[in-house]
Amino acid sequence: MTVHTLTQTDASDAHRVHTRARERTDSVLRGARVQPLLANAAQQHGAAGVNVVSCESDADLSIDAGGRAQSFNFDAVFAHDASQEEVFSEVQPLVVSALDGYNVCIFAYGQTGSGKTYTMQGPASNPGVNPRALGELFKVAEERADQATYDIRCELRVEKRACCVWGVWGGCGGCER
């Protein structure tokens, strides 16, 4: 994990993120991460070199749906080659905001196989948002130990699938996957 010292810039970033959230009527920041076109999808659609999704800017992306392009706007867009560190850098100010007393929720939404688990958990060699955020949370809390005392609690959500329980401890173990 990258060692990161809390600076005035971090506080400014956290303030910037919450200002952006308050400017929205629903106080939700939305991001999109583009998954690379998988080989089997490229073969199936005959699109080996075609960009089905293109990042127009750091906040806009376009989807080519059979010759009809649609554009979407987000607070952050990550191209298919974005690193886990780049994605976390957008989320990191929210971790500081949580310690400043703001309610924060970070979650991933998308269809099966779209990369939610990779983005949020990642492999041990390249951790995703969750392990990086928890590491940052405890690191910043320790750095602020002389300024504040924190009572950090965690709620664990577990997904119940038809044949097993799936949780943070790993795979199912009870079904054939």
Side-chain angles (χ1 to χ4, degrees), residues 19-57:
T19 300
R20 260 193 339 191
R22 281 193 300 272
E23 288 171 355
R24 299 186 65 96
T25 58
D26 54 8
S27 296
V28 174
L29 299 176
R30 295 171 185 87
R33 185 175 195 181
V34 177
Q35 182 184 47
L37 187 63
L38 301 176
N40 62 349
Q43 291 171 348
Q44 179 183 359
H45 299 291
V50 176
N51 282 333
V52 175
V53 177
S54 55
C55 299
E56 307 296 326
S57 71

Side-chain angles (χ1 to χ4, degrees), residues 41-119:
Q43 291 171 348
Q44 179 183 359
H45 299 291
V50 176
N51 282 333
V52 175
V53 177
S54 55
C55 299
E56 307 296 326
S57 71
D58 61 353
D60 298 300
L61 65 82
S62 178
I63 299 176
D64 182 354
R68 194 182 95 225
Q70 285 189 295
S71 295
F72 299 91
N73 181 265
F74 295 90
D75 295 292
V77 172
F78 301 96
H80 67 88
D81 58 350
S83 69
Q84 296 281 62
E85 183 65 37
E86 288 176 80
V87 175
F88 178 69
S89 70
E90 186 69 23
V91 172
Q92 189 275 337
L94 294 173
V95 175
V96 175
S97 294
L99 290 172
D100 289 339
Y102 291 97
N103 290 325
V104 173
C105 176
I106 303 167
F107 72 95
Y109 178 82
Q111 69 186 47
T112 300
S114 63
K116 300 177 300 294
T117 301
Y118 179 78
T119 296

